[in-house]
Amino acid sequence: MKPKTGVVGLGIMGRPIAANLLKAGYELTVFNRTAAKADAFVAAVGGRKGQTPAEVASAADVVITMVSDSADVEQVVLGPNGIIEGARAGQVLIDMSTISPAVTRAIGARLLEKGVEMLDAPVSGGEKGAVAGTLTIMVGGKPAVFETCRPIFEALGKTITHMGQAGAGQLTKLCNQIICSNTLLAVCEGLVFARNAGLDAEKAIAALSGGAAQSWMLTHQAPKMLQRDFRPGFFVMHEQKDLRLVLETAREVGVALPGTRLIHQLYHAIEAEDGGEKLGHISLIKAIEKLANRVPPGAE
Ligand code: NAP
């Protein structure tokens, strides 16, 4: 029999994840801090609403959290009316948020005192991947617990990898963020260069997409940059949170990441704009345009 599931956090990512669990035939209870979002989800998609994260835990065998930052996971798991209050031995918490590996391990240790297992399972693939059920999922935790939860991961993602013990999923996700943010910066620089040099930027994207410059960022994000579509799939504030986690962890493990630090700084220029932190992360191109002192005509 399929385990009963719960999802805490129905934001950009949590909502399609919850929808895919229902689609795969899992019984589902949801909670969202802003209750209206949970009501809208239940009305439009299905499942039932829990009044608190604790209530979701009492109703489910496997609970997924998809909230913002380390402190938010701590709050929904260990805080008042948190998951731990409704949890029982043998249950599993899968945290799919991107948070600190050290905080992940600490939360897992607290849950284990109650016999509750935890997997850290952050994702890549964005809102599109979450909707399509094609996420890349990087998992840390006990191998046997991972195997038990594999069918749930298969309902949500396509490339599912058990990376090692607790925290290994989060470390892999931070590695992903280093590579993605540096690739994004390269695409931003290439586009600003192309436009300022008088090239047809759309044609340049098409020409380069088949060669050594090809990347997911070039194919999927560059066209949106040209359309000035900065609506969030992934908020600037979450990108900055991830880069902060990367830089903190890099210090702990003793590596210098000059490229990533630069990108963190460039995003400060976007955050300084009114509402900048709620723009999509591809708005990084605006920082490069400012440095060139040349924003495309009619763009701003
Ligand atoms: P989002 O749209 O901002 O959603 C965040 C969710 O967390 C909302 O449901 C929010 O509730 C809830 N939340 C935040 N703090 C909370 C707290 N203290 N207590 C209870 N609930 C809280 O963000 P998202 O884009 O879905 O991202 C969620 C996580 O996935 C983040 O860690 C992000 O880095 C990661 N991620 C995102 C993407 C992407 O492309 N968007 C890709 C990969 C990974 P309210 O509705 O009440 O605000």
Side-chain angles (χ1 to χ4, degrees), residues 57-298:
S58 328
D61 303 309
V62 177
V63 180
I64 292 176
T65 43
M66 194 45 153
V67 295
S68 302
D69 205 342
S70 310
D72 305 310
V73 178
E74 281 176 324
Q75 187 169 350
V76 299
V77 178
L78 306 175
N81 298 315
I83 287 164
I84 198 164
E85 289 185 15
R88 60 200 176 275
Q91 248 178 320
V92 182
L93 170 73
I94 303 175
D95 179 36
M96 302 192 95
S97 332
T98 305
I99 67 164
S100 146
V103 172
T104 292
R105 291 186 204 107
I107 295 172
R110 285 284 305 279
L111 287 169
L112 203 55
E113 288 168 11
K114 219 177 163 179
V116 178
E117 297 288 349
M118 177 172 177
L119 297 172
D120 47 302
V123 304
S124 174
E127 184 183 14
K128 239 186 198 170
V131 171
T134 57
L135 288 169
T136 291
I137 309 177
M138 303 143 254
V139 189
K142 292 178 189 155
V145 180
F146 168 70
E147 286 306 332
T148 315
C149 294
R150 189 187 279 279
I152 290 180
F153 290 129
E154 285 172 349
L156 309 176
K158 208 163 137 198
T159 308
I160 300 150
T161 313
H162 180 250
M163 292 300 303
Q165 290 302 319
Q170 294 295 353
L171 287 170
T172 311
K173 169 70 183 182
L174 295 186
C175 186
N176 180 76
Q177 296 311 80
I178 295 168
I179 296 169
C180 286
S181 59
N182 279 275
T183 311
L184 182 65
L185 176 61
V187 170
C188 293
E189 289 192 356
L191 282 191
V192 172
F193 174 88
R195 256 189 341 234
N196 281 28
L199 284 175
D200 175 338
E202 242 171 88
K203 213 167 166 182
I205 294 171
L208 298 178
S209 288
Q214 66 178 272
S215 67
W216 194 89
M217 291 297 173
L218 186 64
T219 312
H220 294 273
Q221 305 293 28
K224 280 201 241 163
M225 289 180 200
L226 290 185
Q227 290 155 16
R228 318 299 291 169
D229 181 1
F230 298 130
R231 284 174 299 170
F234 183 47
F235 289 121
V236 164
M237 63 182 186
H238 287 335
E239 176 78 86
Q240 282 293 63
K241 176 258 304 177
D242 288 359
L243 297 181
R244 174 179 50 75
L245 292 171
V246 166
L247 294 169
E248 283 169 6
T249 311
R251 179 179 289 200
E252 284 163 26
V253 302
V255 295
L257 300 175
T260 308
R261 182 164 289 284
L262 170 66
I263 297 163
H264 194 42
Q265 289 293 316
L266 288 171
Y267 271 117
H268 286 319
I270 307 299
E271 287 178 306
E273 285 182 23
D274 243 6
E277 62 171 25
K278 289 278 181 105
L279 290 176
H281 71 315
I282 64 168
S283 57
L284 180 64
I285 194 170
K286 296 212 264 177
I288 304 302
E289 289 167 349
K290 280 181 194 166
L291 292 174
N293 196 23
R294 192 149 155 218
V295 174

